[in-house]
Amino acid sequence: NGVHIGTALMLDATRGGFEPDLERAVQAGCDNYDDQSKDGVETDPTTRDRIQAHIQIKKMLEVMAYQLVPYEKFEQIEDDLTMHVDGRFYVTGRPDGRTIYGVVHDHKTGVKLSSHWSQLGGYSVLFRSHDLEVTGAQINFVKRVKFNKVQPDLETIPYDVRHAEDSYFQTIERIMDDHQKFERTNSMESFPANPASFMCSKKYCEAHSTPLCPYGKQSKNQEEYEVD
C-alpha cells in the first residue's frame, strides 16, 4: 500500500547514503493509493474517503520516517524472491526488507494487528535459500486511526525465527497436502475453509459467498479491515 511504497523509498535512500525525502515518500504513497483506488475502493469506519486516506498515509509515513528509518540500515528492500520446494511447488515472496544485521522486517498497517508467524517464517526461509543470513524477525506496526485522531507511535513486535519457520513449514505442508487431495478427488472440499480468519471475505477470497464455499461470515453489517 501507500505506506509501504513511501517507507521503501526512504529506506532505499538511506541505503544509498542519502537523506530520506519524507515529502517525496508521502507523494508516492498518495499517488499509489489514488492509482489503486481509481476503479473504486472499499471504505471502512476509519477511512471514509480519499482525503482522509491521504492524511492517514502522511501521518503513518511520518512515524516511519522518525521512528524506523533513522535507526535501521537495510540491505534488501522489497526484493522478489522465489524458492522451489520439491520440484512441483514453489514459494514466492516480496519481504519488506532485511537489515545488514540479518533481521527480517515486515511493515504492517491497519486498524488491528494479527499474528504473522508463517509469513515471517516464510520470509526467513526465502532469504536463507538465497544464502542470506537471518538472525531475527520483527513486525513494524503503524496503526491506522481516524484522520482527526492522534497517530500512535510505531510498535515493533519481535518474532522467534525458529518458531516462525516451524509455522511456515506446517502451513506449506498443509497447502501441498490439500492440493494433492484436490488432484485425487477434484473436490473443493479438499481446501478447508477458515471463517475465523479476517481474510474470509469477498475482498480476499473469490469463492466467498459463492456456491463453491458456503462457510463465509454471514453478518450483513460486517466491517472488514485490512492489515497489509
Side-chain angles (χ1 to χ4, degrees), residues 109-114 141 143-144 198 223 225-227:
T109 61
V111 298
K112 60 182 178 180
L113 182 64
S114 299
F141 178 52
K143 186 173 184 178
R144 177 167 57 91
F198 75 90
E223 296 172 352
Y225 307 113
E226 78 275 11
V227 179

Side-chain angles (χ1 to χ4, degrees), residues 42 197-209 216-217 222 224:
E42 183 178 345
S197 170
F198 75 90
M199 296 184 74
C200 181
S201 68
K202 292 181 180 179
K203 178 174 182 178
Y204 296 106
C205 179
E206 293 183 3
H208 190 275
S209 299
K217 300 183 181 73
Q222 177 190 339
E224 297 172 356

Side-chain angles (χ1 to χ4, degrees), residues 52-106:
Q52 291 185 10
H54 281 202
I55 294 172
Q56 290 164 327
I57 289 169
K58 180 176 184 294
K59 291 167 70 174
M60 288 188 282
L61 280 172
E62 287 173 345
V63 170
M64 289 297 206
Y66 299 126
Q67 298 182 22
L68 175 71
V69 174
Y71 305 106
E72 300 286 356
K73 189 168 181 63
F74 279 60
E75 190 167 64
Q76 283 77 35
I77 301 171
E78 294 195 350
D79 292 345
D80 291 309
L81 303 175
T82 300
M83 177 186 68
H84 289 272
V85 178
D86 67 351
R88 288 189 62 205
F89 297 92
Y90 63 92
V91 176
T92 64
R94 193 178 190 184
D96 288 328
R98 172 185 166 275
T99 70
I100 59 174
Y101 303 109
V103 179
V104 177
H105 283 243
D106 189 56

